[in-house]
Amino acid sequence: MEQRENRQEEVLVKPGKKKNRLPGILLSLVLLAAAAAGFLYADDFRLAVEPRGEMEMLVPSGRQYEDPGADVVLYDRWLFPYGLILTEVPVEMRSDMNSKVLGKYSVSYSAQAFGLSATAQRSLRVVDTASPVLTLISSGKTILPGRPYEEEGYIAVDNFDGNLTDQVKRTVGLDTITYTVMDSSGNPTTAERKIPYFDPLPPDLILEGEQTLTVPCGSVYTDPGYTATDNADGDMTEAVAVDGQVLWYQPGTYELVYTVADAFGNVSQKVRTVTVEAQSRPEVNWPKGKVIYLTFDDGPGPYTGWLLDILRKYGVKATFFVTDSGYDAMMTRIVKEGHSIGIHTMTHDYDTIYASEEAFFNDLVGMQDVIYRNTGVKTTLMRFPGGGSNVVSRYNEGIMTRLSQAVQDAGFQYFDWNVDSNDAGGALRAKTVAANVIGGADTHRVSVVLQHDIHAYSVEAVEDIIVWGLNNGYKFLPLKSDSPTMQHTVLN
Ligand code: ZN
């Protein structure tokens, strides 16, 4: 702010034309003649001071005021009814005006002649009529295509208010920025800047495949993909953010939100809806007659070839719930020789696979893949590590209740057993294993037998079991997805 001292200013008189400019000598002669003629009566004369120009004048603040001046006029009813300007009579002027302070002032005029005196007054108003000066700064920097415009700066200065830069309003339009500012007297100023680079176009975001998808539960969801191309930034596919997740092992409807923004800030967004559909559960078909389903977990291993030789010798088909044990060629042989193959687990590590549904399903489909690569069979038969009634998963409460539902929604069928050879427990000799299996099978029309082909003594017991079974009217069958499951009561 400027310093505003309250001081009076000298009032300059504008040199102007004066009407009826009579030479002083002539005036004097006229006055003398009038006096001599006895016309001079004091009450007939009137002296007046008459300001020239408007009686109220606006003075732009900070500007030197020039007064148009005033005339001294003598009136007489008979002699000068329209007034006689006394050019020789000085007018005294006084003013309280301060052009740096807005407000009302006045100029007073006074004059004396012939023993008469007169005064007059003119109003002055100091106003601010000048708009602020708005200057846009140009840095000269090149604005790159696709980069948002960075303000280069601006300055607003007002004759009266001083620096008004921080009161400038900035409006960003499509391709123009408009700057406006107003001084304290309401005088506005507007300036415009064309934005050197403007990108009104958002990236073109394209979803490959359908925007609404239905996928079967239990198959790992693979997004069909997307592309994003921007007019300025080019290929932006890498910059696309995908929000959301498809729980491919849990039936439900999921939303995936794809978002990408170009450097100018234009955003494109697309949504894909993925429905994970529960698979229908296979109905169990009970076989006719007396049936034994031999099942072997945890292999293949070093004794699996021997076991396959025994089975082949009797033309008996069994079921192998396999692990990722590295005996890949043995998996191939299992399938080639007509046996059923099912998923047991990749790792058989209870702490890993029962940590979460996601962990379990990753292990499950991982093993499904290994089997598929070695056999060409995409099996949906499975057996839970530890069985459906395991308590080793109790560190994750309720996981077996959830998984036993989930695997079937995902199109898998899980099998437990109703005859345990106990070859993973106390039975460490072939005779004991055989006795356990025969003893169990003898009490059931249909048996699903649990054995492990990673134990030599268990494989050794198989021949006795087969011979007993065939001699007692049993058929040995491989498990199919509609075979009896002998599912245990879930304990977690
Ligand atoms: Zn096992």
Side-chain angles (χ1 to χ4, degrees):
M1 285 288 171
E2 287 172 40
Q3 196 189 343
R4 295 180 184 178
E5 358 172 354
N6 204 359
R7 63 172 172 80
Q8 279 173 228
E9 291 170 27
E10 188 191 355
V11 177
L12 297 181
V13 179
K14 199 188 261 177
K17 284 179 189 165
K18 296 169 180 176
K19 56 176 179 176
N20 284 343
R21 184 179 256 266
L22 288 174
I25 296 165
L26 183 60
L27 172 69
S28 305
L29 287 173
V30 169
L31 286 175
L32 279 171
F39 284 114
L40 273 178
Y41 295 99
D43 42 350
D44 280 344
F45 280 99
R46 189 167 61 81
L47 194 67
V49 180
E50 295 178 356
R52 298 174 197 140
E54 303 295 324
M55 289 308 286
E56 187 189 90
M57 298 191 80
L58 299 182
V59 183
S61 78
R63 197 87 60 78
Q64 172 67 57
Y65 169 67
E66 275 185 277
D67 194 90
D71 294 313
V72 183
V73 186
L74 183 66
Y75 290 91
D76 178 80
R77 202 189 328 170
W78 308 108
L79 278 179
F80 323 111
Y82 302 110
L84 177 68
I85 295 175
L86 306 177
T87 53
E88 302 306 312
V89 179
V91 178
E92 200 187 318
M93 301 200 313
R94 304 179 83 103
S95 175
D96 58 353
M97 194 195 67
N98 179 353
S99 69
K100 287 176 180 165
V101 180
L102 302 186
K104 285 185 175 172
Y105 302 95
S106 62
V107 188
S108 309
Y109 307 85
S110 59
Q112 272 138 25
F114 310 116
L116 300 169
S117 64
T119 59
Q121 226 176 40
R122 191 205 302 275
S123 296
L124 297 179
R125 200 140 58 84
V126 174
V127 291
D128 179 17
T129 53
S131 292
V133 176
L134 190 47
T135 311
L136 302 183
I137 296 166
S138 179
S139 68
K141 259 196 290 178
T142 311
I143 312 299
L144 296 171
R147 299 284 161 271
Y149 175 69
E150 271 177 52
E151 179 56 54
E152 293 162 273
Y154 44 84
I155 297 167
V157 180
D158 184 59
N159 63 318
F160 185 75
D161 298 316
N163 193 328
L164 291 175
T165 304
D166 59 357
Q167 289 180 37
V168 173
K169 276 189 194 148
R170 193 172 167 273
T171 311
V172 180
L174 276 185
D175 57 356
T176 310
I177 302 173
T178 307
Y179 306 78
T180 51
V181 68
M182 197 175 262
D183 69 12
S184 57
S185 295
N187 301 302
T189 299
T190 298
E192 264 189 8
R193 194 202 293 275
K194 284 274 170 202
I195 302 177
Y197 183 80
F198 177 66
D199 173 14
L201 301 174
D204 196 11
L205 177 58
I206 296 167
L207 296 189
E208 306 286 347
E210 301 295 319
Q211 255 182 290
T212 305
L213 283 179
T214 300
V215 296
C217 184
S219 299
V220 177
Y221 174 72
T222 310
D223 196 85
Y226 46 81
T227 55
T229 319
D230 187 62
N231 59 314
D233 298 324
D235 187 355
M236 296 200 72
T237 305
E238 295 279 305
V240 175
V242 184
D243 195 31
Q245 206 188 347
V246 175
L247 300 183
W248 50 270
Y249 46 84
Q250 198 170 293
T253 298
Y254 304 90
E255 270 197 353
L256 296 174
V257 182
Y258 307 75
T259 311
V260 65
D262 68 14
F264 203 80
N266 300 302
V267 177
S268 287
Q269 196 167 71
K270 289 259 169 91
V271 177
R272 197 198 304 273
T273 306
V274 181
T275 301
V276 173
E277 201 173 50
Q279 306 273 62
S280 57
R281 298 181 184 193
E283 263 183 52
V284 174
N285 257 322
W286 285 84
K288 293 195 170 71
K290 299 205 285 183
V291 174
I292 296 173
Y293 296 96
L294 293 178
T295 72
F296 299 93
D297 287 7
D298 294 2
Y303 316 114
T304 306
W306 174 27
L307 170 59
L308 288 168
D309 290 344
I310 296 167
L311 296 171
R312 187 162 56 183
K313 183 178 164 189
Y314 292 96
V316 160
K317 306 301 178 197
T319 303
F320 294 79
F321 290 108
V322 296
T323 62
D324 191 21
S325 55
Y327 287 83
D328 290 358
M330 210 50 75
M331 287 189 208
T332 316
R333 196 183 149 190
I334 287 168
V335 170
K336 220 178 234 172
E337 298 189 4
H339 304 287
S340 285
I341 196 159
I343 305 157
H344 194 37
T345 169
M346 294 275 280
T347 63
H348 216 293
D349 177 12
Y350 297 132
D351 288 346
T352 307
I353 57 185
Y354 292 130
S356 66
E357 280 96 317
E358 191 184 7
F360 180 83
F361 272 95
N362 282 332
D363 176 88
L364 186 76
V365 298
M367 195 61 226
Q368 189 184 40
D369 270 359
V370 172
I371 296 168
Y372 180 74
R373 283 204 304 273
N374 289 301
T375 67
V377 173
K378 198 171 179 195
T379 184
T380 55
L381 311 181
M382 59 156 294
R383 176 170 282 156
F384 285 113
S389 56
N390 80 77
V391 292
V392 293
S393 61
R394 276 190 178 161
Y395 69 92
N396 184 351
E397 203 189 325
I399 184 85
M400 290 314 299
T401 303
R402 298 193 294 274
L403 285 179
S404 57
Q405 292 281 321
V407 295
Q408 292 180 99
D409 283 342
F412 293 90
Q413 183 59 296
Y414 77 93
F415 295 87
D416 285 318
W417 56 88
N418 60 349
V419 173
D420 188 354
S421 69
N422 205 26
D423 65 347
L428 298 174
R429 294 185 311 134
K431 291 265 180 248
T432 324
V433 172
N436 286 345
V437 173
I438 290 165
D442 199 24
T443 63
H444 303 292
R445 181 177 73 79
V446 176
S447 298
V448 175
V449 177
L450 173 66
Q451 285 189 256
H452 297 81
D453 55 333
I454 52 168
H455 301 305
Y457 53 85
S458 196
V459 170
E460 195 189 332
V462 169
E463 191 154 7
D464 284 353
I465 296 166
I466 291 173
V467 170
W468 174 85
L470 293 176
N471 287 341
N472 286 278
Y474 286 90
K475 272 186 294 180
F476 288 90
L477 295 177
L479 288 170
K480 304 290 177 195
S481 58
D482 63 349
S483 300
T485 59
M486 301 305 173
Q487 286 173 359
H488 296 171
T489 302
V490 171
L491 300 176
N492 175 28

